[in-house]
Amino acid sequence: MRDVYVIGTGIHPWEGFSEKVFADFAAVAVGRALKDAEIEWKKIQSIMAGIFIYGGNAGHLSGQYLESIFGETGVPVVNVYNACATGSAAIRMAFNSVAAGEADTALAFGADVSPKGFLTAKSDNAVQDRDVIRWKMTAMPNPVYWALECRKRMAKYDTTEEDLAQVKVLMSEYGSKNPDARFKKAYSLDEVLKSAYVCDPLRLYEICPVSTGAAAVIVTADKELIRKADRPVKINATTMGSSMYGDPTIRISALSCPAVPEAPMLSESYSASRQAYEKSGMGPQDVDLLELPDNSSWHYLVYLEVCGFCKEGEAEKMLRDGETRIGGKVAVNPSGGFSSHGEALSAQAIWQVIECASQLRGRCGPRQVENPKVAMAQTYGLMGNSGTTILSV
Amino acid sequence: MGNTKNMVARIPNLVDWSTGEVRLMSAKCNSCGTYFFPKEHYQHRPGCSREGVEDGLLPNKGKLASYTVQYYPCPPPFKTEKNITPYGIGLVEFENEKIQVAGIITDTDLKSLKLGMEMETTTLTMFTNEEKQEVVTWAFRAVK
Ligand SMILES: [Zn+2]
């Protein structure tokens, strides 16, 4: 396997609902990535595209739509969907393709446009698509699943409402310094605690909404391109995980979960992160900054444990002691996290990797982590989808 | 539970009231011992032969393993005649079957909810259909 480097990244800033076309957002991100890498479009030998599930035929073939904008060159185009870990899958395929020598330079991208209204069931067939059951019978939007887990955690580890609110305070502080974030207001603890419950114990400011955004990375093993790139970033490992039997977490869209755990919580992410540690020869102790999926304040806490940054039940202490701050033991979500961005399904995992790369390249201005050497991006997707990417300079 | 003769589940094969008690329709794998809900939601232990999967009903009663109160109306396709917001959602544990099942909490003071309290399975009428049948889902309520 060859060493693979990120040489170009591009983001279309996150925003709310849009009437514009997803491919136009994708083209902005990809155009910026090409410019950052200082390469021509014709250098791209493989395209791994995140599927935009609300985009119909176009969204399912997002790679073809993107390719035609820049000019069709006949290279392999693969479109992939793994829920919120879609971007992880695209990056992993681009990495594998280059590492194996199939292509020298590959592009991974994702673009999502937030549709108007609520996202609910995508079919009407309850036998085939169990997601229909939770919408018609149990009235459980996604945050309900997080709230059910958060309540269990609070009972087990004495998590306080202040802990949950403090996560938003931190995330909004960083988000206010990130020009690509959608939400740029910094909140006080009091303001978060005064926001309404959506599904208690989770409040409005403690869960993330759906957004529009696009992100693209260019990876290469071409020595000439690496040499002339501005601070190339090595990908030490990029992995995917699925759930393990006996995982006690109630997964989004499921109606039941095991009562007796036989596997770690969020085992898809446990699995993805442990694979990445094994492949990279690195562990949490080596990581200077971590981008984790803070879909809610509960996620922020539990993911520190799932990824092995502390023992079970110790995340609140890490938070309270400032160990997760920029300047602390591990800087967690210096981007402002999902809390400041919102979810853009196929793009978000790529944006997390870009934040890691940008931090390692020292490009993050007022939210810059001091001299980081190793960064990790961790995703979470519904029904057992997760990806981990470890990068270094 | 109203007049059961005039009740129909909005989605079949999930909830049963033919025994006189409302019970969830599960299935058990006799090879790996796992209970499933919904019964087609197979969750076999890796390496299981998957032989001998048998339909069965979960007990009527279990313990509250977690809960939340949802303060915003659930969007369609969820549908009720009356606004039920805010409504409780519970995760009820059936200990012997080693499974926790989610459902709306009905007929219970939401302020009285406590982890570990005993809950029973019941039905919740969501709306009346064109045949004048009560269209129901399963739900949980505190045992009085
Ligand atoms: Zn089995």
Side-chain angles (χ1 to χ4, degrees):
Chain A
M1 300 284 269
R2 303 190 290 175
D3 283 347
V4 179
Y5 288 81
V6 173
I7 56 165
T9 67
I11 285 179
H12 184 291
W14 259 232
E15 57 182 63
F17 303 120
S18 178
E19 303 287 351
K20 284 196 282 178
V21 182
F22 83 96
D24 293 339
F25 288 98
V28 169
V30 171
R32 287 178 180 167
L34 288 166
K35 198 169 172 221
D36 181 27
E38 292 181 59
I39 63 168
E40 289 179 27
W41 171 247
K42 284 179 184 171
K43 281 278 183 191
I44 302 294
Q45 296 167 359
S46 192
I47 299 169
M48 304 303 184
I51 286 174
F52 167 46
I53 51 169
Y54 294 99
N57 189 55
H60 290 86
L61 298 169
S62 61
Q64 273 73 16
Y65 271 70
L66 186 276
E67 187 190 23
S68 73
I69 293 173
F70 287 85
E72 292 168 335
T73 55
V75 302
V77 174
V78 181
N79 303 289
V80 63
Y81 177 67
N82 282 81
C84 308
T86 292
S88 307
I91 288 177
R92 179 175 171 275
M93 291 192 303
F95 171 90
N96 283 342
S97 161
V98 170
E102 182 191 73
D104 288 328
T105 304
L107 165 71
F109 80 93
D112 251 60
V113 179
S114 173
K116 279 223 166 83
F118 291 100
L119 307 182
T120 63
K122 296 169 205 72
S123 85
D124 198 31
N125 182 336
V127 179
Q128 186 168 280
D129 180 3
R130 290 188 300 260
D131 198 42
V132 175
I133 303 175
R134 63 122 164 186
W135 288 111
K136 286 191 175 177
M137 301 295 266
T138 58
M140 292 169 77
N142 294 1
V144 164
Y145 287 85
W146 310 335
L148 290 171
E149 289 296 345
C150 192
R151 171 95 53 204
K152 283 186 178 177
R153 181 179 181 90
M154 291 174 90
K156 204 167 166 188
Y157 300 126
D158 296 324
T159 316
T160 65
E161 297 220 19
E162 283 73 19
D163 293 329
L164 300 177
Q166 181 59 28
V167 172
K168 175 65 180 181
V169 172
L170 263 185
M171 292 301 90
S172 69
E173 179 191 328
Y174 302 157
S176 72
K177 298 170 183 170
N178 185 349
D180 294 329
R182 173 177 167 191
F183 303 104
K184 297 194 181 77
K185 174 176 158 45
Y187 289 91
S188 69
L189 193 69
D190 195 47
E191 284 173 306
V192 181
L193 285 170
K194 278 187 181 141
S195 72
Y197 283 126
V198 171
C199 38
D200 75 335
L202 295 175
R203 296 174 185 277
L204 184 61
Y205 294 153
E206 295 166 355
I207 58 174
C208 79
V210 176
S211 291
T212 295
V217 298
I218 293 167
V219 297
T220 190
D222 182 325
K223 291 206 166 63
E224 184 56 24
L225 297 187
I226 296 167
R227 194 186 55 74
K228 60 172 234 223
D230 173 30
R231 292 166 285 181
V233 174
K234 187 179 172 184
I235 299 181
N236 296 77
T238 182
T239 61
M240 299 254 339
S242 61
S243 300
M244 293 151 77
Y245 176 88
D247 179 342
T249 322
I250 181 150
R251 279 172 228 162
I252 292 177
S253 96
L255 284 313
S256 67
C257 60
V260 180
E262 290 191 43
M265 284 204 73
L266 295 161
S267 56
E268 64 276 20
S269 298
Y270 177 89
S271 167
S273 59
R274 294 323 184 272
Q275 289 177 57
Y277 297 152
E278 197 184 319
K279 281 190 204 295
S280 64
M282 294 177 180
Q285 70 283 353
D286 302 305
V287 174
D288 300 309
L289 80 102
L290 169 67
E291 281 290 327
L292 56 71
D294 59 317
N295 296 56
S296 73
S297 291
W298 167 71
H299 291 78
Y300 181 101
L301 295 168
V302 73
Y303 263 91
L304 292 169
E305 299 167 5
V306 169
C307 296
F309 284 80
C310 62
K311 293 203 191 86
E312 239 188 78
E314 291 181 354
E316 288 80 358
K317 185 171 177 350
M318 271 189 90
L319 173 72
R320 290 171 199 161
D321 292 352
E323 289 185 352
T324 61
R325 280 184 162 277
I326 294 176
K329 195 166 133 193
V330 54
V332 176
N333 292 4
S335 66
F338 289 8
S339 171
S340 306
H341 286 77
E343 291 202 88
L345 275 192
S346 67
Q348 62 204 41
I350 297 172
W351 149 69
Q352 288 181 298
V353 166
I354 293 176
E355 175 71 13
C356 288
S358 298
Q359 288 281 352
L360 293 171
R361 297 165 107 180
R363 291 175 169 185
C364 291
R367 67 179 199 286
Q368 178 66 44
V369 177
E370 200 186 333
N371 202 24
K373 299 290 180 211
V374 179
M376 171 164 151
Q378 177 65 50
T379 61
Y380 152 84
L382 66 82
M383 282 316 270
N385 280 289
S386 183
T388 304
T389 301
I390 295 179
L391 307 104
S392 66
V393 285
Chain B
M1 193 163 59
N3 177 11
T4 58
K5 282 200 186 123
N6 204 27
M7 272 172 20
V8 60
R10 187 168 180 203
I11 297 175
N13 295 319
L14 294 164
V15 57
D16 178 274
W17 49 84
S18 65
T19 64
E21 276 185 323
V22 182
R23 294 165 71 178
L24 293 164
M25 298 169 76
S26 173
K28 182 197 180 185
C29 172
N30 285 313
S31 295
C32 71
T34 314
Y35 282 79
F36 313 133
F37 182 81
K39 61 196 176 93
E40 297 89 359
H41 188 178
Y42 305 122
Q43 297 257 280
H44 291 283
R45 184 183 290 275
C48 173
S49 68
R50 295 178 282 118
E51 281 164 15
V53 175
E54 216 173 33
D55 285 358
L57 301 175
L58 293 176
N60 168 261
K61 289 186 179 63
K63 291 210 159 69
L64 192 62
S66 191
Y67 64 89
T68 181
V69 177
Q70 167 77 15
Y71 287 89
Y72 290 82
C74 186
F78 188 68
K79 180 176 152 188
T80 50
E81 243 150 34
K82 285 179 222 147
N83 177 18
I84 61 163
T85 312
Y87 59 98
I89 301 269
L91 202 50
V92 170
E93 177 162 333
F94 300 94
E95 197 182 352
N96 292 335
E97 292 73 16
K98 298 181 183 158
I99 192 170
Q100 296 178 355
V101 178
I104 294 172
I105 295 173
T106 187
D107 200 12
T108 302
D109 174 13
L110 297 177
K111 289 196 180 72
S112 74
L113 294 173
K114 276 200 176 65
L115 297 183
M117 70 194 281
E118 196 173 31
M119 306 291 284
E120 64 186 336
T121 315
T122 181
T123 56
L124 170 69
T125 300
M126 296 186 285
F127 54 90
T128 306
N129 66 15
E130 284 168 7
E131 288 84 50
K132 301 264 162 49
Q133 291 171 300
E134 291 184 18
V135 180
V136 305
T137 184
W138 76 90
F140 299 115
R141 69 176 173 212
V143 174
K144 279 173 191 143

